[in-house]
Amino acid sequence: MIFVKGLKDIPSNLKSPSITIGNFDGVHLGHQALFKKTIECARLQEGDSIAITFHPHPIRVLRPEIPLKLICDLEQKIEWISEQGIDILVCIPFTKKFASTSATNFVKDILVEKLKVSNLIVGYDYSFGRNREGNINFLKAQGALYHFNVHVVSPVVVDSLIVSSTLIRELVSEGKIEVAFKMLGRPFELKGEVVEGARRGGPLLGFPTANILVREDQLCPKVGVYAVIVNVECKEYEGVLNVGYNPTFGGEQLSAEVHIFDFSQDIYGKIIRIKLIKRLRDEKKFSSPKALINQIQKDILNAKMAISNFLKCGKPL
Ligand code: RBF
Ligand code: MG
Protein backbone atom coordinates (compact mmCIF):
# COMPACT_ATOMS: atom_id res chain seq x y z
CA MET A 1 0.00 0.00 0.00
CA ILE A 2 1.14 3.51 -0.79
CA PHE A 3 0.57 6.01 2.01
CA VAL A 4 0.09 9.62 0.94
CA LYS A 5 -0.07 12.49 3.40
CA GLY A 6 -2.08 15.41 2.09
CA LEU A 7 -3.57 16.05 -1.31
CA LYS A 8 -0.41 17.45 -2.90
CA ASP A 9 1.48 14.17 -3.24
CA ILE A 10 -1.24 12.05 -4.80
CA PRO A 11 0.18 10.04 -7.72
CA SER A 12 -0.92 11.61 -11.01
CA ASN A 13 -1.31 8.38 -12.98
CA LEU A 14 -4.24 6.86 -11.06
CA LYS A 15 -6.21 4.18 -12.92
CA SER A 16 -10.03 4.56 -12.75
CA PRO A 17 -10.05 4.98 -8.98
CA SER A 18 -12.52 3.28 -6.69
CA ILE A 19 -12.56 5.41 -3.57
CA THR A 20 -13.90 5.04 -0.05
CA ILE A 21 -13.85 7.78 2.58
CA GLY A 22 -14.07 7.67 6.35
CA ASN A 23 -12.43 8.19 9.71
CA PHE A 24 -12.00 4.45 10.09
CA ASP A 25 -11.25 4.53 13.83
CA GLY A 26 -10.54 0.92 14.79
CA VAL A 27 -10.79 -0.38 11.20
CA HIS A 28 -13.72 -2.57 12.32
CA LEU A 29 -15.89 -5.02 10.32
CA GLY A 30 -18.06 -2.19 8.97
CA HIS A 31 -14.95 -0.43 7.61
CA GLN A 32 -13.63 -3.75 6.35
CA ALA A 33 -16.85 -4.25 4.33
CA LEU A 34 -16.18 -0.87 2.68
CA PHE A 35 -12.61 -1.84 1.81
CA LYS A 36 -13.74 -5.17 0.35
CA LYS A 37 -16.32 -3.46 -1.84
CA THR A 38 -13.77 -0.81 -2.90
CA ILE A 39 -11.24 -3.47 -3.87
CA GLU A 40 -13.91 -5.46 -5.73
CA CYS A 41 -14.94 -2.35 -7.73
CA ALA A 42 -11.29 -1.60 -8.49
CA ARG A 43 -10.64 -5.18 -9.69
CA LEU A 44 -13.60 -5.10 -12.10
CA GLN A 45 -12.07 -2.08 -13.83
CA GLU A 46 -8.44 -3.07 -13.29
CA GLY A 47 -8.16 0.21 -11.44
CA ASP A 48 -6.75 1.47 -8.14
CA SER A 49 -8.44 1.06 -4.77
CA ILE A 50 -8.12 4.18 -2.66
CA ALA A 51 -9.09 5.00 0.91
CA ILE A 52 -9.27 8.59 2.11
CA THR A 53 -9.06 9.30 5.80
CA PHE A 54 -8.48 12.32 8.03
CA HIS A 55 -6.04 13.14 10.79
CA PRO A 56 -6.53 14.37 13.48
CA HIS A 57 -10.02 12.91 13.91
CA PRO A 58 -12.52 15.61 12.76
CA ILE A 59 -14.31 15.59 16.13
CA ARG A 60 -11.01 16.56 17.80
CA VAL A 61 -10.81 19.63 15.58
CA LEU A 62 -14.47 20.62 15.39
CA ARG A 63 -15.62 19.68 18.90
CA PRO A 64 -12.48 19.70 21.08
CA GLU A 65 -14.69 19.86 24.20
CA ILE A 66 -15.89 16.29 23.54
CA PRO A 67 -13.52 13.86 25.33
CA LEU A 68 -13.22 11.50 22.38
CA LYS A 69 -11.29 8.31 23.17
CA LEU A 70 -9.93 6.74 20.02
CA ILE A 71 -9.74 2.98 19.42
CA CYS A 72 -6.48 3.27 17.51
CA ASP A 73 -3.79 5.74 16.52
CA LEU A 74 -2.77 6.66 12.99
CA GLU A 75 -0.02 4.06 12.84
CA GLN A 76 -2.41 1.21 13.72
CA LYS A 77 -4.97 2.55 11.25
CA ILE A 78 -2.41 2.57 8.43
CA GLU A 79 -1.27 -0.95 9.30
CA TRP A 80 -4.78 -2.41 9.45
CA ILE A 81 -5.98 -0.68 6.26
CA SER A 82 -2.88 -1.93 4.50
CA GLU A 83 -3.76 -5.48 5.62
CA GLN A 84 -7.12 -5.09 3.88
CA GLY A 85 -5.38 -4.83 0.52
CA ILE A 86 -6.10 -1.18 -0.35
CA ASP A 87 -3.64 0.20 -2.96
CA ILE A 88 -3.40 3.81 -1.80
CA LEU A 89 -4.28 5.43 1.53
CA VAL A 90 -4.62 9.21 1.42
CA CYS A 91 -4.58 10.95 4.79
CA ILE A 92 -5.89 14.50 4.66
CA PRO A 93 -4.68 16.77 7.49
CA PHE A 94 -7.95 17.85 9.07
CA THR A 95 -8.08 21.54 9.90
CA LYS A 96 -10.90 24.01 10.55
CA LYS A 97 -10.18 25.47 7.13
CA PHE A 98 -10.51 22.07 5.48
CA ALA A 99 -13.74 21.48 7.44
CA SER A 100 -15.27 24.57 5.86
CA THR A 101 -15.04 22.98 2.40
CA SER A 102 -18.56 22.56 1.04
CA ALA A 103 -19.64 19.07 0.04
CA THR A 104 -20.02 20.36 -3.55
CA ASN A 105 -16.43 21.61 -3.66
CA PHE A 106 -15.07 18.46 -2.04
CA VAL A 107 -16.69 16.34 -4.74
CA LYS A 108 -15.76 18.63 -7.64
CA ASP A 109 -12.22 19.70 -6.65
CA ILE A 110 -10.97 16.58 -4.89
CA LEU A 111 -12.95 13.53 -5.99
CA VAL A 112 -13.64 14.52 -9.60
CA GLU A 113 -10.86 16.85 -10.74
CA LYS A 114 -7.97 15.71 -8.60
CA LEU A 115 -8.68 11.98 -8.22
CA LYS A 116 -10.90 11.33 -11.27
CA VAL A 117 -13.16 9.09 -9.20
CA SER A 118 -14.81 6.22 -11.02
CA ASN A 119 -16.55 4.50 -8.09
CA LEU A 120 -17.33 6.02 -4.72
CA ILE A 121 -18.01 3.56 -1.91
CA VAL A 122 -19.64 4.80 1.26
CA GLY A 123 -21.33 3.36 4.33
CA TYR A 124 -25.12 3.45 4.71
CA ASP A 125 -24.92 6.31 7.24
CA TYR A 126 -22.24 8.38 5.54
CA SER A 127 -22.25 12.15 5.23
CA PHE A 128 -19.43 14.66 5.02
CA GLY A 129 -18.47 18.21 4.20
CA ARG A 130 -19.48 21.46 5.85
CA ASN A 131 -22.56 20.79 8.01
CA ARG A 132 -22.57 17.20 6.78
CA GLU A 133 -24.42 18.29 3.62
CA GLY A 134 -22.75 15.53 1.61
CA ASN A 135 -25.22 12.75 2.38
CA ILE A 136 -26.00 9.73 0.22
CA ASN A 137 -28.71 11.40 -1.88
CA PHE A 138 -26.39 14.30 -2.54
CA LEU A 139 -23.57 11.96 -3.56
CA LYS A 140 -25.85 10.03 -5.92
CA ALA A 141 -26.91 13.28 -7.59
CA GLN A 142 -23.26 14.34 -7.91
CA GLY A 143 -22.42 10.91 -9.33
CA ALA A 144 -25.06 11.34 -12.03
CA LEU A 145 -23.71 14.80 -12.81
CA TYR A 146 -20.01 13.86 -13.00
CA HIS A 147 -20.44 10.27 -14.18
CA PHE A 148 -19.17 8.26 -11.24
CA ASN A 149 -20.95 5.35 -9.53
CA VAL A 150 -21.98 5.53 -5.89
CA HIS A 151 -22.09 2.25 -3.98
CA VAL A 152 -23.74 2.22 -0.57
CA VAL A 153 -22.57 -0.56 1.73
CA SER A 154 -25.09 -1.97 4.25
CA PRO A 155 -24.35 -2.06 7.97
CA VAL A 156 -22.56 -5.06 9.43
CA VAL A 157 -24.47 -6.67 12.30
CA VAL A 158 -22.88 -8.60 15.18
CA ASP A 159 -25.02 -10.04 18.02
CA SER A 160 -27.96 -8.10 16.49
CA LEU A 161 -26.09 -4.81 16.93
CA ILE A 162 -24.86 -2.55 14.11
CA VAL A 163 -21.07 -2.37 14.20
CA SER A 164 -19.79 1.18 14.75
CA SER A 165 -16.75 2.86 16.29
CA THR A 166 -18.99 4.55 18.88
CA LEU A 167 -20.46 1.23 19.98
CA ILE A 168 -17.04 -0.42 20.16
CA ARG A 169 -15.79 2.43 22.36
CA GLU A 170 -18.73 1.82 24.71
CA LEU A 171 -18.18 -1.93 24.76
CA VAL A 172 -14.47 -1.62 25.56
CA SER A 173 -15.08 0.90 28.34
CA GLU A 174 -17.72 -1.46 29.78
CA GLY A 175 -15.24 -4.34 29.69
CA LYS A 176 -17.22 -6.22 27.01
CA ILE A 177 -14.09 -6.90 25.04
CA GLU A 178 -15.31 -10.23 23.63
CA VAL A 179 -18.12 -8.42 21.75
CA ALA A 180 -15.71 -5.65 20.73
CA PHE A 181 -13.40 -8.38 19.46
CA LYS A 182 -16.16 -9.77 17.20
CA MET A 183 -16.92 -6.28 15.85
CA LEU A 184 -13.30 -5.40 15.22
CA GLY A 185 -12.48 -8.75 13.64
CA ARG A 186 -9.42 -8.82 15.89
CA PRO A 187 -8.77 -8.31 19.61
CA PHE A 188 -8.94 -4.76 20.98
CA GLU A 189 -5.37 -3.52 21.27
CA LEU A 190 -4.01 -1.23 23.99
CA LYS A 191 -0.83 0.43 22.80
CA GLY A 192 1.53 2.54 24.81
CA GLU A 193 4.93 3.38 26.17
CA VAL A 194 6.32 1.39 29.10
CA VAL A 195 6.82 3.80 31.99
CA GLU A 196 8.01 3.71 35.57
CA GLY A 197 5.43 2.10 37.93
CA ALA A 198 5.28 1.73 41.71
CA ARG A 199 8.12 -0.84 41.55
CA ARG A 200 6.08 -3.06 43.82
CA GLY A 201 5.07 -5.81 41.39
CA GLY A 202 8.45 -7.56 41.21
CA PRO A 203 10.01 -7.05 44.65
CA LEU A 204 6.87 -7.36 46.76
CA LEU A 205 4.54 -9.63 44.80
CA GLY A 206 6.90 -11.64 42.65
CA PHE A 207 5.03 -10.57 39.51
CA PRO A 208 6.96 -7.77 37.79
CA THR A 209 4.78 -5.65 35.52
CA ALA A 210 5.35 -3.29 32.64
CA ASN A 211 3.26 -0.18 33.27
CA ILE A 212 1.73 1.42 30.21
CA LEU A 213 1.21 5.13 29.77
CA VAL A 214 -2.43 5.46 28.65
CA ARG A 215 -2.92 8.85 27.03
CA GLU A 216 -5.91 11.07 27.71
CA ASP A 217 -7.20 10.66 24.15
CA GLN A 218 -6.86 6.88 24.12
CA LEU A 219 -9.62 4.35 24.75
CA CYS A 220 -8.87 2.45 27.98
CA PRO A 221 -10.66 -0.78 28.84
CA LYS A 222 -12.78 -1.02 32.01
CA VAL A 223 -10.93 -1.60 35.27
CA GLY A 224 -10.22 -5.31 35.72
CA VAL A 225 -7.95 -8.20 34.84
CA TYR A 226 -7.53 -9.48 31.26
CA ALA A 227 -5.79 -12.35 29.48
CA VAL A 228 -3.56 -10.74 26.85
CA ILE A 229 -1.03 -11.29 24.10
CA VAL A 230 1.72 -8.69 24.21
CA ASN A 231 3.73 -7.54 21.22
CA VAL A 232 7.21 -6.31 22.16
CA GLU A 233 9.45 -5.37 19.24
CA CYS A 234 7.47 -7.60 16.85
CA LYS A 235 7.62 -10.65 19.15
CA GLU A 236 4.53 -12.00 20.90
CA TYR A 237 4.29 -13.06 24.54
CA GLU A 238 1.39 -14.15 26.70
CA GLY A 239 0.46 -12.26 29.83
CA VAL A 240 -2.11 -10.81 32.23
CA LEU A 241 -3.12 -7.17 32.24
CA ASN A 242 -4.44 -5.28 35.25
CA VAL A 243 -6.24 -2.01 34.66
CA GLY A 244 -7.06 -0.39 37.97
CA TYR A 245 -6.22 1.52 41.10
CA ASN A 246 -4.42 -1.21 43.09
CA PRO A 247 -6.89 -0.88 46.02
CA THR A 248 -4.96 -3.45 48.04
CA PHE A 249 -2.23 -0.83 48.35
CA GLY A 250 -4.61 2.11 48.73
CA GLY A 251 -3.83 3.31 45.24
CA GLU A 252 -5.61 6.33 43.83
CA GLN A 253 -4.21 6.62 40.35
CA LEU A 254 -5.42 4.52 37.46
CA SER A 255 -2.72 2.31 36.00
CA ALA A 256 -2.50 -0.28 33.25
CA GLU A 257 0.18 -2.85 33.91
CA VAL A 258 0.96 -6.13 32.27
CA HIS A 259 2.76 -9.12 33.72
CA ILE A 260 4.39 -10.90 30.78
CA PHE A 261 5.02 -14.65 31.20
CA ASP A 262 8.61 -15.91 31.02
CA PHE A 263 9.96 -12.45 30.35
CA SER A 264 12.72 -10.51 32.08
CA GLN A 265 13.88 -7.85 29.59
CA ASP A 266 14.15 -4.20 30.50
CA ILE A 267 11.61 -2.52 28.23
CA TYR A 268 11.26 0.94 29.78
CA GLY A 269 10.60 3.52 27.07
CA LYS A 270 9.52 0.95 24.48
CA ILE A 271 6.11 1.06 22.81
CA ILE A 272 4.25 -2.21 23.32
CA ARG A 273 0.92 -3.46 21.96
CA ILE A 274 -1.39 -5.46 24.20
CA LYS A 275 -4.15 -7.56 22.60
CA LEU A 276 -7.03 -8.16 25.01
CA ILE A 277 -8.26 -11.74 24.63
CA LYS A 278 -10.58 -12.25 27.58
CA ARG A 279 -11.78 -10.35 30.61
CA LEU A 280 -11.03 -12.49 33.66
CA ARG A 281 -12.46 -10.55 36.63
CA ASP A 282 -13.01 -7.24 38.40
CA GLU A 283 -10.19 -5.63 40.38
CA LYS A 284 -10.62 -6.22 44.14
CA LYS A 285 -9.19 -5.02 47.43
CA PHE A 286 -7.42 -7.94 49.08
CA SER A 287 -6.82 -8.27 52.82
CA SER A 288 -3.09 -8.83 52.31
CA PRO A 289 -0.43 -8.96 49.58
CA LYS A 290 -0.41 -12.74 50.14
CA ALA A 291 -4.11 -12.99 49.22
CA LEU A 292 -3.47 -10.94 46.08
CA ILE A 293 -0.54 -13.18 45.14
CA ASN A 294 -2.83 -16.24 45.40
CA GLN A 295 -5.38 -14.58 43.14
CA ILE A 296 -2.75 -13.52 40.57
CA GLN A 297 -1.55 -17.14 40.41
CA LYS A 298 -5.12 -18.16 39.52
CA ASP A 299 -5.36 -15.29 37.01
CA ILE A 300 -2.25 -16.58 35.28
CA LEU A 301 -3.71 -20.10 34.94
CA ASN A 302 -7.01 -18.68 33.65
CA ALA A 303 -5.17 -16.44 31.21
CA LYS A 304 -3.10 -19.32 29.84
CA MET A 305 -6.28 -21.32 29.30
CA ALA A 306 -8.09 -18.45 27.55
CA ILE A 307 -5.10 -17.69 25.31
CA SER A 308 -4.60 -21.33 24.38
CA ASN A 309 -8.30 -21.57 23.40
CA PHE A 310 -7.94 -18.39 21.39
CA LEU A 311 -4.88 -19.67 19.56
CA LYS A 312 -6.68 -22.96 18.81
CA CYS A 313 -9.93 -21.57 17.42
CA GLY A 314 -9.36 -17.85 16.90
CA LYS A 315 -11.89 -16.76 19.48
CA PRO A 316 -11.97 -16.56 23.30
CA LEU A 317 -14.00 -19.22 25.13
N1 RBF B 1 -4.19 -4.96 42.72
C1 RBF B 1 -5.28 -4.93 43.54
O1 RBF B 1 -5.30 -4.15 44.48
N2 RBF B 1 -6.35 -5.73 43.31
C2 RBF B 1 -6.37 -6.63 42.30
O2 RBF B 1 -7.38 -7.31 42.13
C3 RBF B 1 -5.23 -6.74 41.47
N3 RBF B 1 -5.17 -7.64 40.47
C4 RBF B 1 -4.03 -7.77 39.74
C5 RBF B 1 -3.95 -8.76 38.77
C6 RBF B 1 -2.81 -8.91 38.02
C7 RBF B 1 -2.75 -10.00 37.01
C8 RBF B 1 -1.72 -8.03 38.19
C9 RBF B 1 -0.48 -8.17 37.37
C10 RBF B 1 -1.79 -7.05 39.14
C11 RBF B 1 -2.94 -6.89 39.94
N4 RBF B 1 -3.04 -5.92 40.91
C12 RBF B 1 -4.13 -5.86 41.71
C13 RBF B 1 -2.07 -4.81 40.94
C14 RBF B 1 -1.00 -4.92 41.98
O3 RBF B 1 -1.49 -4.23 43.08
C15 RBF B 1 0.22 -4.23 41.36
O4 RBF B 1 0.78 -5.07 40.40
C16 RBF B 1 1.25 -3.87 42.36
O5 RBF B 1 0.72 -2.98 43.28
C17 RBF B 1 2.44 -3.21 41.67
O6 RBF B 1 2.13 -2.02 41.09
MG1 MG C 1 5.11 -2.37 37.27
Side-chain angles (χ1 to χ4, degrees):
M1 186 178 79
I2 298 172
F3 176 70
V4 185
K5 195 168 164 240
L7 290 162
K8 286 190 202 73
D9 299 321
I10 291 173
S12 54
N13 55 345
L14 298 175
K15 288 178 292 201
S16 60
S18 294
I19 303 178
T20 186
I21 311 175
N23 296 315
F24 305 132
D25 182 33
V27 194
H28 58 57
L29 293 188
H31 302 141
Q32 293 174 29
L34 289 168
F35 299 131
K36 285 197 179 79
K37 182 72 186 172
T38 304
I39 291 165
E40 184 190 304
C41 287
R43 288 242 169 88
L44 286 173
Q45 304 192 338
E46 293 182 47
D48 295 316
S49 58
I50 302 180
I52 298 178
T53 194
F54 307 97
H55 186 79
H57 193 291
I59 293 176
R60 282 269 158 71
V61 176
L62 299 173
R63 306 285 306 275
E65 73 281 4
I66 296 180
L68 176 70
K69 309 271 186 189
L70 291 178
I71 304 167
C72 68
D73 66 10
L74 183 59
E75 187 189 62
Q76 289 165 308
K77 201 196 280 189
I78 295 170
E79 181 180 312
W80 294 332
I81 293 176
S82 158
E83 283 169 8
Q84 293 294 305
I86 287 287
D87 296 317
I88 302 169
L89 173 62
V90 179
C91 180
I92 299 179
F94 197 86
T95 58
K96 284 199 170 135
K97 180 164 177 282
F98 181 81
S100 69
T101 310
S102 69
T104 314
N105 283 342
F106 183 83
V107 170
K108 182 167 169 290
D109 299 346
I110 298 174
L111 297 181
V112 175
E113 284 170 10
K114 182 133 202 130
L115 295 167
K116 314 231 162 13
V117 60
S118 173
N119 295 292
L120 183 66
I121 295 87
V122 291
Y124 68 102
D125 60 346
Y126 194 67
S127 68
F128 72 98
R130 196 175 60 199
N131 306 327
R132 318 224 100 207
E133 42 195 19
N135 59 27
I136 285 167
N137 285 333
F138 167 87
L139 288 172
K140 285 190 167 159
Q142 294 282 295
L145 181 64
Y146 293 114
H147 309 289
F148 62 83
N149 306 305
V150 177
H151 306 262
V152 179
V153 174
S154 313
V156 174
V157 175
V158 164
D159 292 355
S160 22
L161 297 165
I162 292 182
V163 174
S164 76
S165 301
T166 308
L167 182 54
I168 293 170
R169 289 182 198 118
E170 284 168 16
L171 290 166
V172 170
S173 51
E174 288 165 359
K176 295 173 183 160
I177 58 141
E178 289 87 351
V179 188
F181 184 146
K182 284 197 236 171
M183 295 195 171
L184 288 163
R186 80 182 88 75
F188 170 72
E189 203 174 274
L190 183 66
K191 175 182 167 185
E193 186 188 339
V194 178
V195 292
E196 193 85 14
R199 289 195 173 269
R200 209 167 26 212
L204 184 68
L205 300 176
F207 301 104
T209 60
N211 294 54
I212 306 305
L213 179 72
V214 181
R215 292 187 328 269
E216 196 63 39
D217 61 358
Q218 206 179 350
L219 180 60
C220 186
K222 184 185 175 185
V223 164
V225 179
Y226 299 85
V228 298
I229 295 176
V230 191
N231 187 300
V232 184
E233 293 178 316
C234 301
K235 267 202 179 148
E236 304 220 301
Y237 305 87
E238 301 179 10
V240 267
L241 170 73
N242 183 241
V243 178
Y245 296 91
N246 306 353
T248 307
F249 301 95
E252 276 171 5
Q253 219 189 314
L254 184 70
S255 69
E257 50 179 327
V258 60
H259 170 68
I260 308 176
F261 306 154
D262 310 310
F263 189 87
S264 57
Q265 293 171 42
D266 178 350
I267 51 171
Y268 283 113
K270 301 216 158 102
I271 305 281
I272 67 173
R273 292 163 74 146
I274 306 172
K275 293 193 189 93
L276 277 66
I277 306 301
K278 189 175 194 247
R279 184 179 161 85
L280 299 175
R281 64 173 175 90
D282 288 329
E283 190 186 44
K284 281 180 278 204
K285 184 178 164 88
F286 287 89
S287 53
S288 65
K290 183 80 192 31
L292 172 57
I293 291 170
N294 279 334
Q295 179 59 53
I296 293 179
Q297 276 162 346
K298 287 181 198 150
D299 294 336
I300 291 172
L301 289 178
N302 289 335
K304 287 187 172 167
M305 223 145 45
I307 295 165
S308 122
N309 282 328
F310 165 70
L311 295 173
K312 248 181 263 156
C313 67
K315 61 180 201 291
L317 289 178

